[in-house]
Amino acid sequence: MDLILCHTTADFDALGAAVGLTRLLPGSKIVLTGGSHPPVRDFLALHRDEYSLIERRSVNAEKIRSLTVVDTQQRDRLGKAAEWLDLPDLREIIVYDHHLGQESDIPATRSHISSVGATTTLIVEQLQQQQISLTPAEATVMALGIHVDTGSLTFDQSTPRDALALAWLMEHGASLSVISTYRDPGLSLQLQQLLTEALENLEYLYLHGYTVAWVTLKTDGFVPGLSSLVSELVELTEIDAILLANEYPLGESDLRLTVIGRSQIPKTNLNRLFQLLGGGGHSQAASLNLRKVDSQAILKQLLDGVKAQIPHPPTARDLMSSPVRTILPETTIAEAQRILLRYGHSGLAVVDAQKQLVGIISRRDIDIALHHGFNHAPVKGYMTVNLKTITPDTTLPEIEALMVTYDIGRLPVLENGQLVGIVSCTDVLRELHQERDGEKGRGGDSQKRRGGKSNLSLPQLEKKLAPQLWQLLTKASAEAEKRGWHLYLVGGAVRDLLLTEAAGSLMIKDIDLVVDGFHKSADVGAGVELAKALQQVYPAARLEIHGAFQTAALLWHKDPELDSLWVDIATARTEFYPYPAANPEVEASSIRQDLYRRDFTINAIALRLTTPRAGELLDFFGGLIDLQAKQIRVLHANSFIEDPTRIYRGVRFAVRFGFQIEPQTEEFIRYAINSGVYDRTAQENSRTPALQTRLKTELKYILEAPYWKLALQLLDNLGALQCIHPTLKLNAELLRQLRLLERSLRRFDPQPTLIHWEMRLETLIAQLAPEYRAKVAKNLQLPEDSIARLKNLAQVQTEVMRLLPSLQRPSQVVQLLRQDDLPMLILITVQSPREIRHQIWEYFTVWANVQPLLNGNDLKKLGYKPGPQYRQILDDILAATLDGVIKDNRETEEFLAKHYPK
């Protein structure tokens, strides 16, 4: 066990540095050795599940292998955890700190101590060097550490290195709204006095779950830094919006008014309100300065404007995950852990035999039980039974207040006594902070953030799509709305919509739609039901239903309007791979989990088609920012181990769009390939679809695309051709053969009668040792003639290369080569020396096109009786023609008279 220790009463810098170290030291866990600052405590009440935190009491000291201490060099600041520093079997003790000139009493084997404003900066620099990406949650807490310890870069100890570190964290999605909520910049003495006065005189109103406050302060003159005072008021009072007015005289008769506004309420726009009075700013922060006005009238006008803008907040029905994964009270701790692992949950609802909710058990509860050896104990002994529950109509602010007040990570949603969903702190964070970030990013920024929501208006969508596609999506969403379901356009179609610039030109050939409606009345067959309803509108479409995967497909073939279109309609689902390269097992789930099961962030974006939030983009994993950065990033570390075809898809997308594979994603690819997991799973399991049929499909997509050469080169660079066979390499010889193949296909199959992508694949396979070729072709489920060709290639090639150089007459060449079909001769050509290749090419271009000067009818007219001899006669005439013995009909008849007298 590798542990990262924060000092007692941990601050944000200690926590941020520790979180960053979990990426530098994979598998390590963070221990808060003795409490934390109140802001840190409040932060972790919502964010704890985002980080690898464990309780000190759950640590087995005998299993500790290494310790890393952050933000201190003193033992006494580690509380009881300091005892671990003296363990005899420790491999390493590392210290990271930014406090210079201190004498350390920690027996460190390595130290990283530098004069920067925050310890977190040191960690960021190492993450940059190793090109390790962060999640938005990790970037946010690390940015908080730097902000708090540097006073947002205003303290004397701040350095350019801290500023560069903050910039990098912002690029990785650090949430500015979260940072502004938890940082503490400090106030001057005058501002502190005004803070006291403001707190005593604040007036409030509560509307749609949000609190709005206002106050007027009268001073003797201009007061600098009032914006900091406003920010402090927001933090201290936990209000959602505030208007602070400051009246002060300037001269004997000139009265000035300054108004500063702040809002954390989604969809409010203070800039618009303040501009009406000559002020301005941003949607969430604005100010104005006026002279000789009625300050109370101005304040009332602004307050009325804010009230008019406040939206109805999201409710639990909008946030919750449904259906809920439940277990019985008798379920063992070990089985509960297996379920958590399978579905990636951080907690489980416990219900009795009547499906009534009786408790909640969290991952922390299970970890502690396992630590003490209670694998087979029932969960009822560890679950929380004093539950706080909510209804589908509970608002977001009420949910947030419950979670923070009671330190609850998840809230069950009950409707008429039945468990219909669950809202986790992750759901709240996504909605609360990411939506707020989206509001701050208005004006063109909102689609660049990692892990947020933004909007693509329906007029924008209609403008980009071909009209017939827009009509289809409109009808599909109408059918979903009739049933009370949400309908989403997901995957590559959304990606292509975001990438395209041309209006009205996008005719997508493959559309994925997902129905998410369990909060209403949908069951696992929702996707199928919607597909059937849509077929009634489009009777020309063929309906296919795939029960095992809860999907249906509508297919058009050469339709006058929709051409050849494929529309997949699925119920939102999650999946689990029973072993690497298998087909996944799927279960109904929510749209969030449906997106999480996908391959890359750029394909894990959903566009909501149904009202009331039509046009909303769901981007929980940073796909928008990766599109902007032109990079391919995988969703989770085990993705390629579970499904090697994702490697080929990633390469295809990278080459097709001109994107780069993100460095850590490339590391995951190389690790999966070098681990040997594909060989092991193929030996242990008779069916490995991801190395057979699905791999063949990906190879088809690549090898029939115009960029296939670049894709093969990238696959080879990653070592991914090993998925076809461990010995396959794209060496110089194979590249030469592929070039010759293209020349042969252009010259001898210009109007394709062969399947060219299959010929490219056969050429790749033909590079293998003869004993592997047929086996690989069969594994990829190529056609029988391809398998036979590759099986016989070595024997036929040997025979051709042995005989062809010794043949003197064209007829002999034709007699030898016409025994094999065009694909076989092309494979032989690309692998043969120049002399052999030129002879075969001459056969294709000249001799194979020569026909006998007479045919069977001519022989009959000349008095030859029909029979088996016709074949021999015609062959001899052809040979004589090829060899120049006969040149016209007269010479042909003389030839017949001599060799075949009547």
Side-chain angles (χ1 to χ4, degrees):
M1 179 181 293
D2 301 308
L3 299 182
I4 301 165
L5 306 183
C6 298
H7 55 70
T8 54
T9 318
D11 57 15
F12 276 115
D13 189 29
L15 179 61
V19 168
L21 278 168
T22 61
R23 300 304 302 273
L24 289 170
L25 307 171
S28 57
K29 303 293 183 183
I30 301 170
V31 178
L32 302 180
T33 60
S36 57
H37 284 182
V40 175
R41 183 189 62 231
D42 292 343
F43 176 86
L44 289 176
L46 275 177
H47 297 72
R48 180 180 295 273
D49 287 341
E50 303 283 344
Y51 312 118
S52 298
L53 286 161
I54 61 173
E55 305 279 349
R56 180 174 56 81
R57 58 180 175 154
S58 68
V59 173
N60 184 341
E62 295 178 357
K63 295 184 178 180
I64 298 175
R65 298 182 302 176
S66 72
L67 295 172
T68 303
V69 180
V70 295
D71 206 32
T72 185
Q73 301 171 54
Q74 309 300 319
R75 294 175 63 101
D76 59 6
R77 296 207 62 199
L78 297 178
K80 291 185 178 180
E83 299 171 357
W84 298 339
L85 296 170
D86 302 320
L87 292 171
D89 296 325
L90 277 182
R91 299 179 185 174
E92 194 171 36
I93 299 175
I94 310 170
V95 172
Y96 285 84
D97 195 23
H98 69 123
H99 301 104
L100 297 181
Q102 293 190 0
E103 290 187 8
S104 175
D105 56 359
I106 294 176
T109 55
R110 278 194 293 142
S111 295
H112 301 270
I113 302 171
S114 185
S115 180
V116 289
T119 302
T120 304
T121 297
L122 303 178
I123 311 302
V124 169
E125 290 172 343
Q126 292 198 12
L127 290 168
Q128 289 177 291
Q129 291 170 6
Q130 298 187 32
Q131 296 183 311
I132 296 175
S133 297
L134 300 177
T135 66
E138 292 164 343
T140 298
V141 72
M142 294 181 73
L144 263 171
I146 299 175
H147 270 287
V148 170
D149 257 34
T150 65
S152 293
L153 303 179
T154 62
F155 294 168
D156 290 342
Q157 69 266 26
S158 303
T159 70
R161 293 166 64 184
D162 301 300
L164 291 171
L166 273 178
W168 187 79
L169 292 169
M170 289 178 68
E171 290 175 354
H172 281 73
S175 171
L176 299 183
S177 62
V178 176
I179 294 168
S180 66
T181 300
Y182 291 100
R183 68 178 173 81
D184 181 11
L187 297 175
S188 67
L189 180 60
Q190 183 184 19
L191 289 176
Q192 290 178 35
Q193 293 169 346
L194 289 175
L195 174 63
T196 302
E197 181 181 343
L199 288 170
E200 292 173 353
N201 294 285
L202 271 178
E203 297 182 74
Y204 301 89
L205 68 83
Y206 189 75
L207 183 64
H208 300 325
Y210 297 104
T211 303
V212 180
W214 66 97
V215 67
T216 301
L217 299 175
K218 296 184 178 182
T219 61
D220 296 332
F222 171 74
V223 179
L226 278 177
S227 60
S228 297
L229 172 59
V230 174
S231 298
E232 189 72 13
L233 282 170
V234 172
E235 291 190 17
L236 288 175
T237 59
E238 298 184 353
I239 53 182
D240 300 296
I242 185 172
L243 296 172
L244 184 145
N246 176 215
E247 281 185 3
Y248 61 94
L250 192 65
E252 294 183 1
S253 60
D254 190 2
L255 187 67
R256 298 292 181 96
L257 174 66
T258 296
V259 183
I260 297 174
R262 295 286 187 273
S263 175
Q264 300 180 83
I265 303 174
K267 300 183 181 178
T268 54
N269 191 323
L270 296 183
N271 179 50
R272 189 180 304 150
L273 288 178
F274 278 61
Q275 278 184 339
L276 296 174
L277 295 170
H282 303 288
S283 61
Q284 305 294 283
S287 63
L288 60 82
N289 292 285
L290 299 173
R291 300 173 57 182
K292 297 179 180 180
V293 294
D294 183 342
S295 60
Q296 295 310 303
I298 295 296
L299 195 58
K300 182 178 185 304
Q301 180 179 340
L302 291 171
L303 184 61
D304 289 343
V306 171
K307 289 159 58 176
Q309 288 185 348
I310 295 177
H312 288 273
T315 64
R317 192 183 301 279
D318 300 312
L319 303 175
M320 68 187 188
S321 298
S322 179
V324 183
R325 197 77 53 196
T326 61
I327 56 175
L328 294 171
E330 294 75 25
T331 304
T332 65
I333 291 292
E335 176 63 12
Q337 184 199 37
R338 188 192 68 80
I339 294 172
L340 286 182
L341 176 65
R342 173 166 182 159
Y343 297 105
H345 294 344
S346 58
L348 292 168
V350 185
V351 298
D352 60 19
Q354 286 73 44
K355 304 295 183 181
Q356 296 294 305
L357 180 69
V358 295
I360 292 282
I361 188 162
S362 71
R363 184 172 57 201
R364 278 186 290 168
D365 300 328
I366 291 173
D367 286 345
I368 291 173
L370 290 172
H371 169 71
H372 293 294
F374 290 100
N375 304 50
H376 301 293
V379 297
K380 63 183 178 183
Y382 289 85
M383 67 186 185
T384 301
V385 294
N386 297 320
L387 301 177
K388 298 291 181 183
T389 62
I390 55 178
T391 70
D393 297 321
T394 304
T395 64
L396 174 60
E398 293 170 325
I399 294 169
E400 182 189 11
L402 279 172
M403 287 183 167
V404 173
T405 302
Y406 297 101
D407 192 14
I408 300 172
R410 55 202 58 80
L411 287 168
V413 184
L414 301 182
E415 187 171 33
N416 300 323
Q418 295 297 308
L419 180 64
V420 295
I422 196 159
V423 176
S424 70
C425 56
T426 301
D427 299 325
V428 171
L429 289 170
R430 283 172 178 155
E431 185 69 32
L432 182 64
H433 297 130
Q434 293 167 356
E435 185 168 316
R436 288 178 181 173
D437 280 351
E439 292 297 314
K440 291 185 177 183
R442 282 186 187 177
D445 253 357
S446 60
Q447 291 188 4
K448 297 179 184 179
R449 297 177 334 282
R450 183 186 299 276
K453 291 183 181 179
S454 55
N455 290 304
L456 182 66
S457 69
L458 294 188
Q460 286 177 308
L461 177 61
E462 182 178 4
K463 185 178 179 182
K464 288 188 174 188
L465 278 176
Q468 58 270 38
L469 273 187
W470 167 251
Q471 186 179 42
L472 171 67
L473 294 180
T474 301
K475 291 178 179 178
S477 61
E479 292 294 334
E481 286 178 0
K482 285 181 187 177
R483 295 159 175 80
W485 302 339
H486 300 322
L487 184 65
Y488 296 90
L489 179 68
V490 300
V494 181
R495 177 200 66 222
D496 294 345
L497 269 172
L498 293 170
L499 288 175
T500 191
E501 297 294 338
S505 63
L506 191 58
M507 183 61 195
I508 304 170
K509 295 296 184 71
D510 191 349
I511 290 177
D512 286 330
L513 299 175
V514 171
V515 181
D516 182 12
F518 284 88
H519 65 294
K520 285 289 186 180
S521 59
D523 57 23
V524 294
V528 174
E529 181 180 338
L530 182 59
K532 290 179 177 178
L534 203 55
Q535 192 195 30
Q536 298 300 311
V537 182
Y538 290 94
R542 187 173 86 253
L543 175 65
E544 291 184 358
I545 297 174
H546 310 286
F549 293 96
Q550 303 167 11
T551 64
L554 291 172
L555 292 84
W556 288 261
H557 182 64
K558 295 183 178 180
D559 185 83
E561 289 190 354
L562 295 171
D563 196 19
S564 296
L565 174 66
W566 184 302
V567 178
D568 264 313
I569 306 178
T571 308
R573 52 199 169 131
T574 187
E575 63 185 23
F576 179 77
Y577 287 81
Y579 55 85
N583 276 332
E585 299 173 2
V586 298
E587 296 180 11
S589 188
S590 66
I591 185 63
R592 288 182 177 89
Q593 290 170 308
D594 191 276
L595 293 175
Y596 182 67
R597 71 181 182 82
R598 296 176 184 272
D599 47 16
F600 303 100
T601 59
I602 63 171
N603 294 330
I605 308 171
L607 174 67
R608 182 161 162 167
L609 298 174
T610 45
T611 57
R613 294 157 76 177
E616 180 182 73
L617 286 171
L618 299 186
D619 174 32
F620 303 115
F621 314 108
L624 291 172
I625 200 170
D626 286 335
L627 281 176
Q628 183 71 22
K630 296 186 176 181
Q631 68 177 5
I632 305 297
R633 184 166 58 88
V634 77
L635 285 177
H636 56 88
N638 290 320
S639 183
F640 302 119
I641 289 177
E642 292 178 339
D643 187 355
T645 62
R646 287 174 176 159
I647 300 173
Y648 282 68
R649 284 204 296 278
V651 166
R652 176 158 56 91
F653 295 141
V655 177
R656 173 184 169 189
F657 299 121
F659 285 14
Q660 297 295 317
I661 296 178
E662 182 254 349
Q664 190 168 48
T665 297
E666 182 175 330
E667 288 182 16
F668 290 148
I669 290 174
R670 294 187 186 279
Y671 176 81
I673 292 169
N674 296 331
S675 69
V677 65
Y678 304 141
D679 290 337
R680 291 196 301 273
T681 196
Q683 293 170 7
E684 295 169 1
N685 302 277
S686 59
R687 293 189 68 252
T688 53
L691 293 170
Q692 297 170 329
T693 51
R694 299 212 312 271
L695 179 57
K696 173 193 171 184
T697 299
E698 286 302 321
L699 284 166
K700 175 181 182 292
Y701 289 146
I702 288 173
L703 293 174
E704 69 183 4
Y707 48 76
W708 65 269
K709 290 180 184 177
L710 289 175
L712 283 182
Q713 289 170 349
L714 182 52
L715 285 168
D716 181 64
N717 178 264
L718 294 168
L721 293 179
Q722 293 181 41
C723 295
I724 300 174
H725 192 270
T727 65
L728 185 58
K729 302 285 185 183
L730 191 65
N731 53 30
E733 173 58 24
L734 181 52
L735 284 170
R736 185 187 71 84
Q737 292 178 16
L738 288 169
R739 287 194 297 270
L740 290 172
L741 171 69
E742 293 307 295
R743 289 174 60 187
S744 298
L745 292 175
R746 283 196 302 270
R747 292 180 64 179
F748 310 128
D749 193 36
Q751 304 297 324
T753 58
L754 306 178
I755 302 175
H756 286 194
W757 76 264
E758 281 188 358
M759 287 302 302
R760 292 170 187 138
L761 181 53
E762 287 186 34
T763 302
L764 291 176
I765 297 172
Q767 180 70 3
L768 302 174
E771 62 267 26
Y772 300 135
R773 295 169 180 170
K775 182 179 179 181
V776 170
K778 187 175 182 180
N779 184 64
L780 292 174
Q781 299 186 11
L782 292 184
E784 289 297 328
D785 61 327
S786 293
I787 297 172
R789 188 158 44 247
L790 288 163
K791 180 180 180 181
N792 299 325
L793 174 60
Q795 179 181 345
V796 174
Q797 183 177 12
T798 300
E799 186 73 4
V800 168
M801 293 183 67
R802 182 178 67 85
L803 296 175
L804 196 56
S806 64
L807 301 179
Q808 301 298 317
R809 298 193 305 273
S811 62
Q812 294 174 315
V813 174
V814 171
Q815 185 176 6
L816 174 65
L817 296 183
R818 71 180 180 183
Q819 300 175 52
D820 300 300
D821 59 11
L822 176 61
M824 176 68 85
L825 291 177
I826 287 177
L827 289 181
I828 293 173
T829 297
V830 301
Q831 289 196 346
S832 299
R834 177 177 298 179
E835 296 76 11
I836 299 293
R837 183 166 66 252
H838 284 180
Q839 282 184 282
I840 296 177
W841 281 358
E842 189 172 7
Y843 163 74
F844 282 139
T845 55
V846 180
W847 301 330
N849 299 317
V850 174
Q851 298 295 324
L853 292 174
L854 299 179
N855 57 32
N857 290 329
D858 296 325
L859 293 179
K860 190 173 182 181
K861 290 177 182 178
L862 291 173
Y864 290 94
K865 293 182 179 180
Q869 68 170 346
Y870 267 31
R871 177 62 180 270
Q872 184 61 50
I873 293 172
L874 292 174
D875 283 348
D876 287 347
I877 292 173
L878 175 60
T881 304
L882 287 165
D883 296 338
V885 173
I886 55 178
K887 299 179 181 63
D888 53 32
N889 287 348
R890 182 183 59 78
E891 291 182 351
T892 303
E893 291 177 9
E894 291 175 356
F895 176 85
L896 285 174
K898 179 178 179 181
H899 295 282
Y900 292 96
K902 298 175 186 176

